[in-house]
């Protein structure tokens, strides 16, 4: 039962470990002659096939969703779009799940393992393909991106414009994504003025490929089912279509870090050339991810340093220590060369760029790390969020998650990824409370609420690996204790048939259980993706996440007309500004707090541009009166017609 349906056909799985847990390797059983093996058993071919299938499923579904023709401004149109997305997902996904179940119950085990690998890869792509399809529906009829020209999307557009003017990097923000926006705008939309159109395309594309990237990153350490079990919930939960590039880095960084630490720990068993190549490739990858989005490196760095010191082969002799040091040096050197432009900017300007923007997560209990609320929190306040659970404020989900974490730490501590996730969790936890503890004194937030994501991600990793450890150890214990003596003697003699026929839990039953669990993960993926998409459906309420899609529908198109479903007759002009650093204020800006509450929440009087409750009530009354006047005018016109 090792790894919930092992890919090693006919073995119980106790030999070579892929993740340090005593589980079998991912490849098929070595045959006497490698030349006789079918192409489907070659690891590189299978890895490429998984990547192609996953990306094809994600991008293909995203393109399929362009066929949905609804008015995304109207709620009924939004519901129809959501339903059509689910129907497409069922049409594509159900045959895959049916094939998986069929091969689990019929046919040879090797064929089922191939089908399982490809189906898991496809499901990882479909999970975020549905989210990308939802963004396509939300932006149907407009070429502009989520967020329009406001907030972070507006800053990204300005940065891309600056790149088109060859003005170089914009402050200390990671430059790779704005540079890609500029390049795509130049190729696809003929240059400056259309960088917002480029952001529209890239938001959808990188939302779609987030699932495949997460799944493939975890596949370097885990079997298909376990990689899927981490990748799908993580991408569905953490993915932010406005900035999909950000969370892709966080999700991919952790398994790559675990893989890097594993190679360092095994330096004594690796050839020097092997270590140099791996160190170079991983260093370039780390550097590129740093340029893509650097924030997660800050929270992962303390734990990564602690884990590196712990895993370094101090006691394996001078030769091994020298090889490990060479491996570390090559990684750091190649990463530093790639990331040099941003590292230089951070060293030059970092102290002059404090983060002073506060929102609901800043006002809430800092000990709550199992949920996230953005600066568009609707009607929630720090008095009503987070909602207190049944057990010391913790919900049932929190208790189950923590129980899984306990299993991971208790039963899977030999797994190097368990130790890596635990170290990163501890480092991010300490950094979170350090910055939060100094917030009032330093008048700086320093993005500490974002540690919520990486802490919860580490908890999810530990819980899943805890479940994997239970399956590994539980299946091994059952086989040792309950297997008949005659079967045990047959398997000990090296007979493959004895290992298969003498099992207490037949391998076919294990494969069938694994197939059923994959179906459950697929169902969660479709339901979770629909939840994620629904948050971004257009809404004129500035306190909800739907305002981002709404703003994309109120900006003029290239020809000066309003988008097809725009709710306004007069739309905003396309802005073509370059990025300029804003003024640095010397106080914390308390977003979402009315002027009347600034003294009690922020400790100071609100600036003049912050609205009071009287302002809000006056605006609401004016809006109600405007609606009433429009209604009366329409009634008068109807009366005249009659």
């Amino acid at each position: 039962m090792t790894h919930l349906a092992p890919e090693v056909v006919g073995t119980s799985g106790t030999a070579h470990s892929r993740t340090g847990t005593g589980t079998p390797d991912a490849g098929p059983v070595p045959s006497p002659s490698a030349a006789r093996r079918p192409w489907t058993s070659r690891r590189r071919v299978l890895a490429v096939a998984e990547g192609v299938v996953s990306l094809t499923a994600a991008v293909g579904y995203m393109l399929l969703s362009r066929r949905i023709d609804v008015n995304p401004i109207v709620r009924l149109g939004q519901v129809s779009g959501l339903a059509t997305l689910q129907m497409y997902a069922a049409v594509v996904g159900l045959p895959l799940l049916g094939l998986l179940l069929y091969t689990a119950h019929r046919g040879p085990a090797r064929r089922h393992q191939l089908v399982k690998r490809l189906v898991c890869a496809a499901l990882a792509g479909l999970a975020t393909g549905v989210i990308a399809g939802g963004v396509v529906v939300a932006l149907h009829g407009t070429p502009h991106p989520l967020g329009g020209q406001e907030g972070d999307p507006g800053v990204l557009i300005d940065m891309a414009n600056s790149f088109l003017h060859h003005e170089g990097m914009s402050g200390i923000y990671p430059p790779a994504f704005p540079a890609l926006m500029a390049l795509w705008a130049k190729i696809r939309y003929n240059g400056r003025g259309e960088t917002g159109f480029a952001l529209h395309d890239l938001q959808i594309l990188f939302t779609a490929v987030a699932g495949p990237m997460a799944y493939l990153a975890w596949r370097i350490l885990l079997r298909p089912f376990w990689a899927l079990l981490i990748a799908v919930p993580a991408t569905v939960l953490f993915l932010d279509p406005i900035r999909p590039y950000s969370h892709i880095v966080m999700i991919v960084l952790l398994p790559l870090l675990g893989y890097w630490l594993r190679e360092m720990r095994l330096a004594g068993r690796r050839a020097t050339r092997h270590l140099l190549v791996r160190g170079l490739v991983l260093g370039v990858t780390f550097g590129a991810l740093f340029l893509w989005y650097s924030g997660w490196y800050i929270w992962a760095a303390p734990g990564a340093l602690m884990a590196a010191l712990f895993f370094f082969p101090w006691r394996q002799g001078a030769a091994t220590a020298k090889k490990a040091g060479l491996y570390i040096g090559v990684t750091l050197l190649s990463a530093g060369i790639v990331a040099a432009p941003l590292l230089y900017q951070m060293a030059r300007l970092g102290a002059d760029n404090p983060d002073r923007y506060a929102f609901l997560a800043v006002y809430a209990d800092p000990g709550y790390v199992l949920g996230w609320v953005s600066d568009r929190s609707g009607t929630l306040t720090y008095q009503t969020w987070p909602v207190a659970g049944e057990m010391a404020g913790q919900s049932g989900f929190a208790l189950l998650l923590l129980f899984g974490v306990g299993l991971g730490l208790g039963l899977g501590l030999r797994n190097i990824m368990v130790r890596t996730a635990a170290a990163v969790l501890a480092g991010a936890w300490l950094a979170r409370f350090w910055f939060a503890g100094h917030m009032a004194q330093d008048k700086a937030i320093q993005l500490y609420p974002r540690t919520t994501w990486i802490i919860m991600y580490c908890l999810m990793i530990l819980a899943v690996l805890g479940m994997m450890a239970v399956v590994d150890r539980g299946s091994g214990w059952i086989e040792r204790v309950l297997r008949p003596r005659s079967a045990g003697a047959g398997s000990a003699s090296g007979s493959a048939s004895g290992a298969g026929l003498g099992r207490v839990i037949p391998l076919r039953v294990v494969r069938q259980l694994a197939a059923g669990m994959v179906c459950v993960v697929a169902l969660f993926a479709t339901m979770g993706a629909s939840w994620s998409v629904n948050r971004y459906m257009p809404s004129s309420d500035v306190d909800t996440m739907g305002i981002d899609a709404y703003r994309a529908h109120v900006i003029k198109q290239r020809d000066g007309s309003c988008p097809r479903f725009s709710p306004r007759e007069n739309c905003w002009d396309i802005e073509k500004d370059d990025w300029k650093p804003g003024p640095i204020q010397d106080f914390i800006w308390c977003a979402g707090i009315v002027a009347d509450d600034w003294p009690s929440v922020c400790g100071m009087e609100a600036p003049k541009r912050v609205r009071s409750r009287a302002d809000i009530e006056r605006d609401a009354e004016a809006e109600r009166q405007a609606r009433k006047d429009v209604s009366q005018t329409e009634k008068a016109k109807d009366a005249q017609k009659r």
Side-chain angles (χ1 to χ4, degrees), residues 41 157 163 169 190 208 291 407 425 453 484 533 544 577 583 621 638:
S41 67
I157 291 172
F163 272 105
M169 293 177 57
N190 200 25
L291 294 179
L407 293 176
L425 170 62
W453 282 314
V533 166
T544 65
D577 300 328
E621 179 61 30
D638 292 341

Side-chain angles (χ1 to χ4, degrees), residues 397-427:
F397 163 75
L399 297 178
L400 287 175
L401 182 65
L402 294 177
F403 177 73
V405 172
L407 293 176
L409 294 175
L411 300 179
L413 198 56
R414 292 183 179 180
N415 186 323
I416 198 167
M417 195 61 228
V418 169
R419 301 182 189 181
T420 302
V424 172
L425 170 62

Side-chain angles (χ1 to χ4, degrees), residues 165-186:
H165 278 172
H166 307 288
E167 294 184 1
M169 293 177 57
S170 304
I172 61 172
Y173 196 83
F177 189 78
L180 181 61
M181 286 175 55
L183 178 62
W184 183 243
K186 189 173 183 178

